[in-house]
Amino acid sequence: MSDPTSSWAAADAQRSSGEAAPTPRSEKVYLEGPGGIRVPARKVMLSGRSEPLYLYDTSGPCTEDVRRGLPALRDGWIQARGDVEWIEPGYRGPELERIPGPMRRRRVLRGTRTITQRWYARQGIITPEMEFVALRESVDPEMVRDEVARGRAIIPANPNHPESEPMIIGRKFLVKVNANIGNSVVSSSIHEEVEKLQWAVRWGADTVMDLSTGADIHATREWILRNSPVPVGTVPIYEALEKAGGKPEELTFEQFMETLLQQAQQGVDYMTIHAGLRLQHIPLTTGRVTGIVSRGGSILAKWCLAHHKENFLYTHFREICEELCRYDVAVSLGDGLRPGCLADANDEAQFAELETLGQLARIAAEYDVQVMIEGPGHVPLDMIRENVEREIAACGDAPFYTLGPVVTDIAPGYDHITSAIGAALIGWQGAAMLCYVTPKEHLGLPNKEDVKEGMIAYKIAAHAADVAKGHPGARAWDDAMSAARFEFRWDDQFHLALDPERARQYHDETLPGPAGRLAHFCSMCGPHFCSMKITQEVRRFAESRGLDPREALADGLKQKAAQFRAEGGHLYRPVDSASGQDSG
Amino acid sequence: MSDPTSSWAAADAQRSSGEAAPTPRSEKVYLEGPGGIRVPARKVMLSGRSEPLYLYDTSGPCTEDVRRGLPALRDGWIQARGDVEWIEPGYRGPELERIPGPMRRRRVLRGTRTITQRWYARQGIITPEMEFVALRESVDPEMVRDEVARGRAIIPANPNHPESEPMIIGRKFLVKVNANIGNSVVSSSIHEEVEKLQWAVRWGADTVMDLSTGADIHATREWILRNSPVPVGTVPIYEALEKAGGKPEELTFEQFMETLLQQAQQGVDYMTIHAGLRLQHIPLTTGRVTGIVSRGGSILAKWCLAHHKENFLYTHFREICEELCRYDVAVSLGDGLRPGCLADANDEAQFAELETLGQLARIAAEYDVQVMIEGPGHVPLDMIRENVEREIAACGDAPFYTLGPVVTDIAPGYDHITSAIGAALIGWQGAAMLCYVTPKEHLGLPNKEDVKEGMIAYKIAAHAADVAKGHPGARAWDDAMSAARFEFRWDDQFHLALDPERARQYHDETLPGPAGRLAHFCSMCGPHFCSMKITQEVRRFAESRGLDPREALADGLKQKAAQFRAEGGHLYRPVDSASGQDSG
């Protein structure tokens, strides 16, 4: 693998060439909150009398130098609480050399007691993180506190990741999207992974999970954390398995805890832990078409069988919580037995594990550890609702974090679409965060373009869910686009689009140049057939008769309509029998 | 515009280069039915002991020469019924010269009485068309007849389009997908449109609609019909408007009927007729964000206002039905007032028109004209179900044919995805046919690649709906893919994919060459982390102990599980206390 620090010149050149520049007619602005809180938003300027639109923004501050990382936004808030201490980090391996000096931390933070957002919330304390997300979501800070206290929402916020801009995951808030990045043994470098991170947040990722399993796993994570404006999740069992030489049966709980602590000290904000996969569940999978498809689940299943013992993550779950609460690492209870195909959806194995996840969620609550519950996977449309209902029932309303689900298995290469369908539906029905799926799912590791395609499909799914849930303000975006469409403000349509560049490019393919952007029609129908144009003419027609285009047109026609009704309004009776046959 | 007949050399060369060749390891086969009926299917050969999979196939017979058109499959059936006569076609315009000799028909068929499939069905007659679709859908022919007789399903089957392979549209059958093609004033040629037709059916279009509004409208349609193995729909008001010089107010019913008859004589199988947009509905649209977005709807609204008269398609609807029943042209009652954005969804205007569509459907039934009802458009997820419920209530179960709907307006350039989400949901809930949306929707006319992207997204939506509805056999495709996935049969996965080429290409990007296709892992996780591989090892582990990999593993572990339960199965009680602390 090439030296990661040497390959940034190319990245810098690319950035300055505008690829990472803000979208046109957009600027990053900050909404000012109490105590100097500044919440990022994307302001989209619109033409004419239209008010600008403010959109949720995940892209983070502009990185001047990825070797230095982002500013430590939350440092002051964390220190001010006075309940953390500096300790020596546990990791001392060779990968430290692959972490540039300005990014390397000699000491890390640990709580002197429980320091989770959930704990503060239960004490009645509204933290700056809660203020931040309240402003970010346009909701009341007290509501945020209450949801976090009840365990219905989480704010992943490890003090060792002060660079992150707080965000909240819960059913009453905007549906969030996670982007998976990370290398594997057969592919990619640190450079590429940091680029994928930046690319993912540019397209709206609310969190990223670093699923690296290949070389430089510790260093890659450090680069990602120091440059991530969003919470970072991991699956520590992956790194633990590397320590066990890739052999599941040689894993030990000590290896796992060492890994967990090193990652917590780096700043990982949430961790997937497959503690709910119990020995007794494994036989339930033997009749499945695709068995166990979760990587973590299959690793632990193999361990359980090799030792004929209960999953050590289950038996040691309290010890795990005792550490997580000192770093405010949220636990994402992994669904190791999630179905890997439609045939296995909603089966006994899946739901048996879900019940266990509910038990574990209650234990985590005792430690004020923030919890979310992972969900499938592969589920036919008609079986999605049951997943949400059971999760709520079993897990006491802990946020549901689902992977898709894909709703059909027949379209490898298009699983961003098969799964965006399921994701939109499960988001509407209550899932709080959706883990994106890229077009490469089931086939290979995503490249940068795949990350974008996956993100766009999932921003669509999440926003469709927000609109359907009636999240306050969600539809303003759609309405601004619709108004621009009706008024032929092409440039505004492009600027408002999830992907402004593609919208403009597609339009220009058939109606190029500045004239095309002023056209009061598009190439779909041409000028004669443009329904929007004709509708506008209809309104002008009314106006030319001295009528207000909206109300008076209605009034004028209402008289006509009243006449109809007075005549019985029967089908097939000529409107105006005096004129004989209809001239048209 | 270039001479269409001269540009086929290029197309022929392209075809022989394999672009239109059947997908690998697939062959077209014919299922034999009564009376010599031969129903096309795609047989996918799988490796090892796996049975081949038979898939619904819309691609039609291989075209030797698009200047000759396809063989007239249904000619014998039509003649044998003895209720059609040869007449002179009404069209005599200059475009005949653009239709090659072998394709030009000097006489066309017209029923000597009502000849619709609905009429036969109501007489208790099972036509060859019904036998064909029954075999194609693996259902009972009598059920097909009954559904058609009740108006709950339609078989578009104009005797002047004998080239078409019968298909059925109804809630109890596979969800169908329509692909819109057709040129506009600003774009494309006959050549391109025929190519789009072939491309659309290759990717699974069940019908195509020719929405041409530009030059050569009659000739383009003739080329399309003679080469289409699927029913062809049109919106005759578009051509009628061309005859009226592009001015809606100058349209006459006579122009419309002349157009309708010419199209019926060419072989158009179904026509969108916006007869439900009434004068009294127009005021209901004045408060809308995007007014009237249906092209046909806006044309008729303008006519109504200009003349201050009722829509002539409404007042003359019985005359229209009197002709449609002689050509078995199905009527697709257009939703001229469908919403054009989320803000306008499910409003008074939309549902007022829907009620009228129900009245018109009942009139059409009097003439045994086959009917479907068009639906939106733009609808938030939570408002989709109401559309289906109201359509069923208002229109007596006539098949619902919807355009998407898109579930958010924020993603121009990706509306194949925004709408596939809505399409999957509405298909599951009862829509019988989905009109595809391409990535160019709202921006421009689709090219060939857009047609493919739109088709794939909609085949996904339709299949997801079929699975969710529990259509017999639908999930066999998913299950075959899942089994291939679990057994690392990479080539089988590619062959089973909706888009085999893309699946293979994505896989090969990271694990190229023949070795990659034998790999018992993929580049997503690499060999150590492959959950499927580990699960297989788990099963082999059990086998090595002389246990049957499925049942006995379960048995062996069930003892262990029973022991657990006997011990209370409490959380956090060590499994095997004799062994002290868990070694892991």
Side-chain angles (χ1 to χ4, degrees):
Chain A
M1 188 168 294
S2 68
D3 174 27
T5 60
S6 69
S7 45
W8 289 105
D12 289 343
Q14 201 173 36
R15 233 181 331 278
S16 66
S17 79
E19 201 189 336
T23 47
R25 298 278 297 168
S26 275
E27 64 176 311
K28 177 165 304 215
V29 296
Y30 287 89
L31 314 174
E32 309 278 341
I37 280 170
R38 296 173 74 239
V39 173
R42 180 156 76 90
K43 179 182 176 183
V44 185
M45 272 74 75
L46 301 173
S47 60
R49 294 158 303 174
S50 312
E51 290 290 308
L53 188 74
Y54 294 88
L55 298 175
Y56 194 102
D57 183 77
T58 57
S59 61
C62 189
T63 312
E64 309 238 317
D65 182 351
V66 291
R67 282 153 298 206
R68 292 188 170 275
L70 298 175
L73 167 72
R74 296 193 300 122
D75 243 0
W77 310 344
I78 293 161
Q79 302 294 344
R81 291 194 277 256
D83 51 10
V84 284
E85 59 186 357
W86 291 104
I87 62 165
E88 298 272 313
Y91 182 83
R92 301 197 200 291
E95 290 185 41
L96 288 178
E97 286 171 28
R98 303 185 71 79
I99 301 169
M103 191 186 275
R104 217 178 294 162
R105 293 162 323 133
R106 289 171 213 295
R107 292 191 309 163
V108 296
L109 290 169
R110 180 173 188 271
T112 53
R113 53 163 169 74
T114 298
I115 56 160
T116 67
Q117 294 289 318
R118 187 174 191 170
W119 183 85
Y120 300 127
R122 285 214 306 114
Q123 311 312 308
I125 298 167
I126 294 177
T127 62
E129 285 85 348
M130 296 173 203
E131 291 279 7
F132 191 102
V133 300
L135 191 53
R136 205 169 192 186
E137 304 245 353
S138 304
V139 296
D140 181 31
E142 172 53 26
M143 190 272 264
V144 171
R145 188 205 58 74
D146 188 53
E147 289 293 298
V148 173
R150 290 171 190 268
R152 291 203 295 222
I154 70 170
I155 301 176
N158 185 329
N160 292 305
H161 184 206
E163 299 90 347
S164 80
E165 295 169 335
M167 53 77 70
I168 191 163
I169 302 166
R171 194 139 47 99
K172 291 197 182 168
F173 304 93
L174 290 165
V175 174
K176 303 304 186 296
V177 177
N178 171 70
N180 287 341
I181 58 174
N183 63 356
S184 86
V185 173
V186 292
S187 185
S188 67
S189 68
I190 293 182
H191 176 176
E192 282 173 85
E193 296 314 315
V194 176
E195 215 174 27
K196 279 186 206 164
L197 158 73
Q198 295 178 321
W199 196 234
V201 298
R202 181 192 158 162
W203 292 108
D206 294 288
T207 73
V208 295
M209 287 193 82
D210 173 15
L211 304 185
S212 294
T213 57
D216 294 326
I217 200 164
H218 185 90
T220 303
R221 191 165 48 237
E222 193 76 37
W223 279 80
I224 288 173
L225 277 159
R226 301 288 74 80
N227 284 288
S228 178
V230 300
V232 174
T234 59
V235 187
I237 197 90
Y238 296 172
E239 187 177 1
L241 184 64
E242 300 281 355
K243 293 181 181 176
K247 295 184 178 158
E249 57 276 24
E250 298 192 3
L251 273 168
T252 65
F253 177 63
E254 290 66 34
Q255 276 171 337
F256 178 83
M257 280 306 283
E258 180 192 278
T259 308
L260 179 147
L261 284 171
Q262 289 171 0
Q263 295 193 3
Q265 289 163 4
Q266 281 187 294
V268 170
D269 299 285
Y270 65 91
M271 296 181 187
T272 294
I273 299 182
H274 298 90
L277 185 154
R278 297 190 61 184
L279 182 63
Q280 70 195 55
H281 299 151
I282 300 173
L284 303 176
T285 67
T286 50
R288 283 182 158 184
V289 173
T290 54
I292 299 173
V293 297
S294 150
R295 288 192 230 175
S298 57
I299 292 164
L300 288 160
K302 195 167 181 191
W303 187 93
C304 289
L305 289 178
H307 297 272
H308 246 267
K309 279 199 186 152
E310 187 58 287
N311 177 352
F312 60 81
L313 297 174
Y314 175 79
T315 53
H316 291 275
F317 192 65
R318 285 179 183 272
E319 284 160 74
I320 293 168
C321 289
E322 276 164 15
E323 289 299 336
L324 296 180
C325 69
R326 299 294 187 112
Y327 296 93
D328 199 2
V329 174
V331 62
S332 184
L333 288 168
D335 53 339
L337 299 180
R338 67 168 175 268
C341 62
L342 299 195
D344 296 341
N346 293 22
D347 72 353
E348 204 185 345
Q350 184 194 335
F351 287 140
E353 184 185 36
L354 183 60
E355 289 296 324
T356 309
L357 299 184
Q359 295 177 335
L360 296 167
R362 286 188 288 279
I363 290 177
E366 291 177 35
Y367 295 85
D368 282 318
V369 167
Q370 303 192 90
V371 184
M372 53 185 174
I373 308 292
E374 295 188 7
H378 292 242
V379 186
L381 280 171
D382 59 315
M383 294 167 78
I384 287 178
R385 182 182 289 274
E386 187 183 3
N387 278 275
V388 179
E389 287 170 349
R390 287 204 186 227
E391 189 272 340
I392 292 173
C395 305
D397 245 1
F400 201 23
Y401 169 30
T402 63
L403 175 61
V406 308
V407 295
T408 170
D409 297 318
I410 65 170
Y414 298 84
D415 278 330
H416 60 312
I417 299 179
T418 64
S419 66
I421 293 170
L425 196 58
I426 207 162
W428 166 34
Q429 292 177 349
M433 185 154 78
L434 309 171
C435 181
Y436 87 165
V437 168
T438 78
K440 288 279 169 62
E441 185 74 17
H442 299 114
L443 296 167
L445 268 186
N447 60 25
K448 207 174 142 186
E449 191 51 33
D450 298 319
V451 167
K452 176 183 164 186
E453 292 290 324
M455 276 309 307
I456 299 257
Y458 272 70
K459 292 306 277 186
I460 288 169
H463 185 74
D466 288 336
V467 168
K469 291 201 300 181
H471 192 279
R475 227 195 53 202
W477 192 354
D478 302 80
D479 292 351
M481 176 69 79
S482 304
R485 206 163 258 168
F486 188 65
E487 293 163 15
F488 297 102
R489 290 185 271 117
W490 286 105
D491 278 325
D492 284 353
Q493 291 177 56
F494 306 149
H495 302 148
L496 285 165
L498 256 187
D499 182 353
E501 214 166 308
R502 183 169 297 181
R504 181 189 299 276
Q505 176 206 328
Y506 281 4
H507 171 267
D508 290 359
E509 272 180 29
T510 31
L511 280 183
R517 290 201 205 121
L518 299 173
H520 272 212
F521 58 90
C522 75
S523 57
M524 291 179 75
C525 310
H528 277 174
F529 284 87
C530 179
S531 59
M532 301 248 182
K533 182 165 166 264
I534 297 175
T535 305
Q536 292 185 350
E537 284 168 10
V538 165
R539 289 189 183 170
R540 272 199 295 277
F541 172 89
E543 230 167 341
S544 71
R545 304 191 163 195
L547 305 172
D548 172 85
R550 297 208 170 193
E551 292 184 16
L553 173 62
D555 285 349
L557 284 164
K558 266 179 197 155
Q559 292 173 21
K560 200 75 187 168
Q563 184 189 340
F564 264 91
R565 284 191 292 270
E567 288 166 359
H570 287 308
L571 196 56
Y572 211 48
R573 178 174 296 180
V575 178
D576 187 352
S577 51
S579 70
Q581 267 299 43
D582 196 316
S583 72
Chain B
M1 188 169 294
S2 67
D3 174 26
T5 59
S6 69
S7 43
W8 289 104
D12 289 345
Q14 204 173 33
R15 231 181 334 275
S16 66
S17 80
E19 201 188 336
T23 47
R25 298 277 299 170
S26 275
E27 65 175 309
K28 177 165 305 214
V29 295
Y30 288 89
L31 315 175
E32 309 279 339
I37 281 170
R38 297 173 73 240
V39 173
R42 181 156 75 89
K43 179 181 177 183
V44 186
M45 271 74 76
L46 301 173
S47 61
R49 293 160 304 174
S50 313
E51 290 290 308
L53 189 74
Y54 293 88
L55 298 175
Y56 194 102
D57 183 77
T58 58
S59 62
C62 188
T63 312
E64 308 239 319
D65 180 352
V66 291
R67 281 154 297 208
R68 292 188 170 275
L70 299 176
L73 167 71
R74 298 193 299 121
D75 244 359
W77 309 343
I78 294 161
Q79 301 294 344
R81 290 193 278 255
D83 51 9
V84 285
E85 58 186 358
W86 290 104
I87 62 165
E88 298 271 313
Y91 182 84
R92 301 197 200 289
E95 288 186 41
L96 288 179
E97 286 170 29
R98 302 185 72 78
I99 300 169
M103 192 187 274
R104 217 178 295 163
R105 294 163 322 135
R106 289 170 213 295
R107 293 191 308 164
V108 296
L109 290 169
R110 180 174 188 270
T112 52
R113 53 164 169 74
T114 298
I115 56 160
T116 67
Q117 294 289 318
R118 187 174 191 170
W119 184 85
Y120 301 126
R122 286 214 307 112
Q123 311 313 307
I125 298 166
I126 294 177
T127 62
E129 285 85 349
M130 296 174 204
E131 291 279 5
F132 192 102
V133 300
L135 190 53
R136 206 170 190 184
E137 305 244 352
S138 304
V139 295
D140 181 30
E142 172 53 26
M143 191 272 264
V144 171
R145 189 204 59 74
D146 188 54
E147 289 293 299
V148 173
R150 289 171 190 269
R152 290 203 296 222
I154 70 170
I155 300 176
N158 185 329
N160 291 305
H161 184 205
E163 299 91 346
S164 80
E165 294 171 335
M167 52 77 70
I168 191 164
I169 303 166
R171 195 139 47 98
K172 291 197 182 169
F173 303 93
L174 291 165
V175 174
K176 303 304 186 296
V177 176
N178 172 69
N180 287 340
I181 58 173
N183 63 355
S184 86
V185 173
V186 293
S187 186
S188 65
S189 68
I190 293 181
H191 176 175
E192 282 173 85
E193 297 314 314
V194 176
E195 215 174 28
K196 278 186 207 164
L197 157 72
Q198 294 178 322
W199 197 232
V201 298
R202 180 191 157 162
W203 293 107
D206 293 289
T207 73
V208 295
M209 288 193 81
D210 173 15
L211 303 185
S212 294
T213 57
D216 293 326
I217 200 165
H218 185 90
T220 302
R221 192 167 46 239
E222 193 75 36
W223 280 79
I224 288 174
L225 277 159
R226 300 288 73 82
N227 285 288
S228 178
V230 300
V232 174
T234 59
V235 188
I237 198 91
Y238 296 172
E239 187 177 1
L241 184 66
E242 299 282 354
K243 292 181 181 175
K247 295 184 179 158
E249 57 275 25
E250 297 191 3
L251 272 169
T252 65
F253 177 63
E254 289 67 33
Q255 276 171 337
F256 178 83
M257 279 307 281
E258 180 191 278
T259 308
L260 178 146
L261 285 171
Q262 288 171 3
Q263 295 193 3
Q265 288 164 5
Q266 282 188 292
V268 170
D269 298 285
Y270 66 92
M271 296 182 186
T272 294
I273 299 182
H274 298 91
L277 185 154
R278 297 190 59 182
L279 182 63
Q280 71 195 55
H281 299 151
I282 301 172
L284 303 176
T285 68
T286 50
R288 282 183 160 185
V289 173
T290 54
I292 299 174
V293 297
S294 150
R295 287 192 229 175
S298 57
I299 292 164
L300 288 160
K302 195 167 182 191
W303 187 92
C304 289
L305 288 178
H307 296 273
H308 245 266
K309 279 198 185 151
E310 187 57 286
N311 178 351
F312 60 81
L313 298 175
Y314 176 78
T315 53
H316 291 275
F317 191 65
R318 285 179 183 272
E319 285 159 74
I320 293 168
C321 289
E322 278 162 15
E323 290 298 337
L324 296 180
C325 69
R326 298 296 186 112
Y327 295 93
D328 199 1
V329 174
V331 61
S332 183
L333 289 167
D335 55 337
L337 299 180
R338 67 167 175 267
C341 62
L342 298 195
D344 296 341
N346 293 21
D347 73 352
E348 205 185 343
Q350 183 195 336
F351 287 141
E353 185 185 36
L354 183 60
E355 290 296 323
T356 309
L357 299 185
Q359 295 177 334
L360 295 167
R362 286 188 287 280
I363 290 177
E366 292 177 35
Y367 295 85
D368 282 317
V369 167
Q370 303 192 89
V371 184
M372 53 185 174
I373 309 291
E374 295 188 7
H378 292 241
V379 186
L381 279 171
D382 59 316
M383 294 166 79
I384 286 178
R385 181 182 291 274
E386 187 183 2
N387 278 275
V388 178
E389 288 169 350
R390 286 204 186 229
E391 190 271 340
I392 291 172
C395 303
D397 245 2
F400 201 22
Y401 168 30
T402 64
L403 176 60
V406 308
V407 296
T408 170
D409 296 318
I410 65 170
Y414 298 85
D415 278 330
H416 60 311
I417 299 179
T418 65
S419 67
I421 294 171
L425 197 58
I426 208 164
W428 166 35
Q429 292 177 351
M433 185 155 76
L434 310 170
C435 182
Y436 87 165
V437 168
T438 78
K440 289 279 169 61
E441 186 74 18
H442 300 114
L443 296 168
L445 269 187
N447 60 26
K448 207 173 141 187
E449 191 51 31
D450 299 318
V451 167
K452 176 183 163 185
E453 291 290 323
M455 275 310 306
I456 299 258
Y458 272 69
K459 291 306 276 187
I460 288 169
H463 184 73
D466 288 335
V467 167
K469 291 201 301 181
H471 191 281
R475 228 195 55 203
W477 192 354
D478 301 80
D479 292 351
M481 176 70 78
S482 304
R485 205 165 258 167
F486 188 65
E487 293 164 15
F488 296 104
R489 289 185 269 119
W490 286 105
D491 277 325
D492 284 352
Q493 291 177 56
F494 306 149
H495 302 148
L496 285 165
L498 257 186
D499 183 353
E501 213 166 310
R502 184 169 296 180
R504 180 188 301 274
Q505 175 206 329
Y506 281 3
H507 171 268
D508 290 359
E509 272 179 29
T510 31
L511 279 184
R517 296 208 198 115
L518 297 175
H520 272 211
F521 57 90
C522 74
S523 57
M524 292 179 74
C525 309
H528 278 173
F529 283 87
C530 179
S531 58
M532 301 246 183
K533 182 165 165 264
I534 297 175
T535 304
Q536 292 186 349
E537 285 168 8
V538 165
R539 289 190 182 168
R540 272 198 296 276
F541 172 88
E543 230 167 343
S544 70
R545 302 189 164 196
L547 305 172
D548 172 83
R550 296 208 170 194
E551 291 185 17
L553 173 63
D555 286 348
L557 284 164
K558 264 179 196 154
Q559 294 173 19
K560 202 75 188 167
Q563 183 188 341
F564 264 90
R565 283 193 293 272
E567 288 167 358
H570 287 309
L571 196 56
Y572 212 49
R573 178 173 299 181
V575 178
D576 187 352
S577 50
S579 71
Q581 267 299 41
D582 196 319
S583 71

